């Protein structure tokens, strides 16, 4: 098992993870905690109470340019979203697209609550930061700047009791609805807090200055509702919530339509196009894609893993598992993957090639666990 | 009673010509939460080094190799409903299978308790 090699980057919470007994692994070039007391316990605690995650490895960025409309238009030139109509303090999920229509990254876009004055906040996947930075540099004129907020940490507090714990230190948080954000204070620390996350639960992401990160994290961990949660449970939580993970369920060959992310293609953009890969993506919207991201429920107790072939009942290969494991809340193995379109209806009987040969499985609707966002 | 260990972190507890086999506390800790164990059939003959069981944790699947040769005479069917026994009591209630030894001398090549502790300390 990989441990903290010297060439791995560390988040501002590195020493805290070690003090809390976190088992550190290499992830996207960072030394990150995969678990503390155990993945199953951390997963269940998050669904029942509140889990604190360090997601400081993700890429916090500010895109700025000459005016709010200009910045919105710049982002629209490389994504299928609409950002001119993004209200102050609102967030939107979008996709960075290649000219082939494949997905370069998925990201969150936040318009500052103060309006922005020519700025949008972005959060990139950790493993895609360099690629995204280069792409913005290539595609946007020099009047736009993408600033890396490397002096900031990002914490996620997720679960039904997250609001109780956070509101004691940041009362503004309780007034937010899902996918909204505000500048605020956590006790006396400046922060940007949003009601968002990657678990399917109600919860928040809190961006703080690196020098405040340990104090904020320790303050939250002192709340009775909160325990630290590692990347292992983050993965099982997002898998149950049906949320795709870049590099596994999404890559440069998958289109937004195949990935079931057509909601990220704004209505206006479906008519006007004008984003990378629009030919393919609009055609797939009209005619249907050749393959689709689906949930997979193995019939047995054995988890199926990423890379396993999905077979029709006649043993022909119809797709591939892209994420798979055990769903602690479902109390059964769960997976997601891509299948040829004729097999994508929930309830379709398929097989998954396992270590023990083909095993029966069923195509399932996503998510496996219904979301509990506060809208 | 002869208690031996392998470099793959299995334990073998031989009493007469029957050996009980499982994975060590070190292995269980490294694997994390076990959610499924695939066990061999009673009556199956296995050779030393054969992949005879699979243990699936939340994180990954791992083969369990037969540390000695023999015939499977019993498996721990309790693990079907309670795979967490492997984490709770890896070196007792979380046992995997019992083999009737066909080559008892194979035990001599395995590590004793002290040698195994030194081995895991070195990892």
């Amino acid at each position: 098992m990989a441990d903290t090699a010297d060439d791995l980057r560390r988040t501002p919470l590195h020493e805290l993870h070690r003090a809390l007994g976190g088992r550190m692994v290499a992830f996207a070039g960072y030394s990150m905690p995969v678990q503390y007391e155990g993945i199953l316990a951390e997963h269940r605690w998050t669904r029942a109470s509140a889990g604190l995650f360090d997601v400081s490895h993700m890429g916090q960025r500010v895109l700025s340019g000459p005016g709010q409309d200009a910045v919105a238009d710049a982002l629209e030139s490389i994504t299928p979203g609409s950002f001119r109509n993004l209200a102050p303090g609102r967030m939107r999920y979008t996709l960075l697209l290649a000219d082939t229509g494949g997905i370069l990254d998925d990201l969150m876009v936040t318009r500052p609550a103060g309006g922005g004055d020519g700025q949008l906040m972005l959060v990139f996947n950790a493993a895609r930061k360099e690629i995204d930075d280069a792409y913005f540099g290539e595609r946007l004129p020099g009047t736009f700047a993408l600033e890396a907020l490397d002096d900031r940490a990002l914490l996620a507090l997720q679960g039904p009791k997250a609001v109780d714990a956070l509101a004691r230190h940041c009362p503004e948080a309780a007034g937010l609805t899902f996918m909204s954000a505000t500048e605020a204070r956590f006790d006396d620390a400046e922060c940007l807090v949003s009601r968002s996350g990657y678990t399917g639960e109600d919860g928040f992401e809190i961006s703080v200055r690196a020098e405040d990160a340990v104090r904020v994290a320790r303050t939250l961990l002192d709340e009775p509702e909160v325990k630290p949660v590692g990347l292992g449970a983050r993965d099982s939580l997002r898998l149950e919530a049906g949320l795709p993970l870049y590099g596994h369920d999404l890559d440069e060959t998958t289109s937004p339509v195949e990935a079931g992310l057509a909601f990220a293609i704004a209505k206006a953009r479906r008519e006007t196009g004008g984003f990378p890969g629009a030919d393919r993506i609009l055609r797939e919207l009209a005619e249907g894609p050749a393959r689709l991201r689906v949930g997979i429920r193995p019939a047995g107790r054995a988890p199926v893993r990423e890379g396993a072939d999905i077979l029709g009942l006649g043993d022909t290969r119809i797709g591939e598992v892209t994420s798979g494991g055990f769903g602690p809340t479902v109390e059964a193995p769960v997976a997601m993957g891509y299948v040829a379109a004729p097999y994508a209806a929930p309830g379709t009987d398929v097989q998954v090639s396992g270590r023990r040969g083909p095993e029966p499985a069923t195509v399932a609707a996503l998510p496996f666990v219904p979301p509990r966002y506060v809208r | 009673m002869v208690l031996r260990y392998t470099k793959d972190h299995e334990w073998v507890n031989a009493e007469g010509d029957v050996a009980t086999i499982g994975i060590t506390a070190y292995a269980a800790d490294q694997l994390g939460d076990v959610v499924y164990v695939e066990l061999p059939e009673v009556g199956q003959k296995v050779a030393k080094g054969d992949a005879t069981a699979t243990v699936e944790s939340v994180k990954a699947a791992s083969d369990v190799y037969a540390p000695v040769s023999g015939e499977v005479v019993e498996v721990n069917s309790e693990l079907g409903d309670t795979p967490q026994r492997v984490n709770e009591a890896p070196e007792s209630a979380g046992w995997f299978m019992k083999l009737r030894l066909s080559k008892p001398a194979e035990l001599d090549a395995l590590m004793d308790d002290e040698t195994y502790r030194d081995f895991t300390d070195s990892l």
Side-chain angles (χ1 to χ4, degrees):
Chain A
M1 186 168 293
D3 205 338
T4 51
D6 289 339
D7 56 350
L8 291 177
R9 298 172 72 180
R10 296 177 171 190
T11 75
L13 297 180
H14 184 81
E15 295 307 321
L16 179 61
H17 297 316
R18 303 216 74 137
L20 293 168
R23 185 172 291 176
M24 308 305 286
V25 300
F27 182 83
Y30 284 79
S31 172
M32 298 297 289
V34 67
Q35 65 172 64
Y36 303 87
E37 65 175 305
I39 293 172
L40 292 180
E42 291 165 31
H43 178 114
R44 291 174 178 140
W45 183 265
T46 304
R47 291 255 188 261
S49 188
L52 182 69
F53 305 73
D54 179 12
V55 289
S56 302
H57 57 311
M58 299 190 79
Q60 300 184 73
R61 299 288 186 269
V62 181
L63 177 65
S64 56
Q68 203 62 33
D69 283 349
V71 172
D73 290 349
L75 193 57
E76 288 187 10
S77 72
I78 47 177
T79 68
S82 281
F83 299 101
R84 277 205 182 206
N85 61 2
L86 186 62
R90 295 293 299 172
M91 309 174 74
R92 201 161 276 169
Y93 173 83
T94 197
L95 302 162
L96 202 59
L97 295 172
D99 292 326
T100 58
I103 299 169
L104 293 172
D105 199 3
D106 61 338
L107 56 149
M108 282 291 182
V109 181
T110 304
R111 183 167 175 195
D117 192 28
Q119 292 190 333
L120 290 171
M121 318 289 291
L122 312 177
V123 179
F124 296 158
N125 279 296
R128 303 299 287 178
K129 285 190 281 196
E130 285 76 17
I131 285 163
D132 295 356
D133 287 344
Y135 192 70
F136 275 78
E138 284 164 25
R139 295 295 174 115
L140 301 189
T143 46
F144 296 93
L146 187 68
E147 180 195 355
L149 301 179
D150 288 335
D151 57 344
R152 295 185 76 87
L154 190 62
L155 307 178
L157 187 67
Q158 299 281 299
K161 297 181 182 171
V163 64
D164 302 328
L166 182 56
R168 283 178 213 126
H169 303 278
C170 179
E172 298 95 325
L176 296 171
T177 54
F178 182 59
M179 295 295 271
S180 62
T182 187
E183 297 88 24
R185 292 201 165 266
F186 182 102
D187 295 334
D188 59 352
E190 171 268 315
C191 69
L192 176 67
V193 58
S194 68
R195 202 158 197 164
S196 63
Y198 194 47
T199 59
E201 297 297 322
D202 183 26
F204 300 86
E205 292 192 349
I206 309 147
S207 171
V208 295
R209 294 182 304 181
E211 62 263 36
D212 295 329
V214 170
R215 190 158 47 90
V216 170
R218 281 205 179 273
T219 301
L220 286 170
L221 290 170
D222 282 343
E223 297 296 338
E225 298 91 347
V226 182
K227 287 186 180 182
V229 178
L231 290 181
R234 183 170 160 86
D235 191 49
S236 56
L237 288 158
R238 70 93 195 166
L239 176 56
E240 284 186 339
L243 300 169
L245 174 60
Y246 197 90
H248 300 265
D249 312 301
L250 308 176
D251 62 31
E252 294 186 19
T253 72
T254 45
S255 79
V257 185
E258 292 174 335
L261 302 175
F263 68 88
I265 306 167
K267 197 175 167 199
R269 312 295 308 275
R270 294 175 188 223
E271 282 148 31
T272 58
F275 49 85
D279 289 354
R280 171 186 175 188
I281 290 166
L282 296 179
R283 187 179 66 243
E284 287 182 354
L285 274 176
E287 300 172 7
R291 58 176 182 161
L292 276 163
R293 184 169 63 93
V294 296
I296 299 286
R297 282 289 298 265
R301 296 287 300 170
V304 302
R305 306 289 179 177
E306 178 178 357
D309 287 333
I310 304 172
L311 310 171
L313 298 183
D315 288 353
T316 50
R317 185 180 184 283
I318 57 167
E320 184 177 330
V321 172
T322 51
S323 286
F326 183 78
T329 304
V330 178
E331 296 187 313
V334 291
M336 63 174 80
Y338 286 81
V339 295
Y343 298 88
T348 304
D349 289 325
V350 297
Q351 303 180 89
V352 176
S353 69
R355 298 157 66 84
R356 298 154 283 269
E359 299 275 359
T362 307
V363 173
L366 294 173
F368 297 106
V369 172
R372 297 196 284 181
Y373 305 131
V374 174
R375 293 184 190 273
Chain B
M1 192 184 89
V2 180
L3 186 57
R4 290 287 181 269
Y5 300 87
T6 73
K7 286 191 171 175
D8 295 320
H9 306 288
E10 291 124 354
W11 55 267
V12 185
N13 189 349
E15 289 183 76
D17 65 348
V18 173
T20 307
I21 291 161
I23 66 169
T24 65
Y26 177 90
D29 181 61
Q30 289 292 310
L31 286 170
D33 297 312
V34 171
V35 295
Y36 179 80
V37 181
E38 169 96 1
L39 295 168
E41 300 286 328
V42 171
Q44 188 178 328
K45 290 191 170 61
V46 301
K48 176 177 174 155
D50 286 353
T52 47
T54 306
V55 55
E56 300 257 9
S57 76
V58 175
K59 284 182 274 184
S62 307
D63 284 322
V64 176
Y65 302 98
V68 287
S69 305
E71 179 184 340
V72 178
V73 293
E74 191 179 347
V75 296
N76 187 359
S77 51
E78 197 200 351
L79 298 183
D81 288 331
T82 53
Q84 62 269 31
R85 288 283 177 278
V86 178
N87 295 110
E88 293 162 357
E91 301 190 23
S92 54
W95 64 279
F96 280 30
M97 68 191 95
K98 295 184 182 185
L99 294 185
R100 187 178 309 284
L101 300 173
S102 57
K103 298 177 183 172
E106 287 172 342
L107 291 169
D108 299 339
L110 304 182
M111 288 180 272
D112 64 14
D113 183 77
E114 191 183 337
T115 311
Y116 178 69
R117 300 300 150 198
D118 288 347
F119 170 63
T120 55
D121 286 347
S122 73
L123 296 177

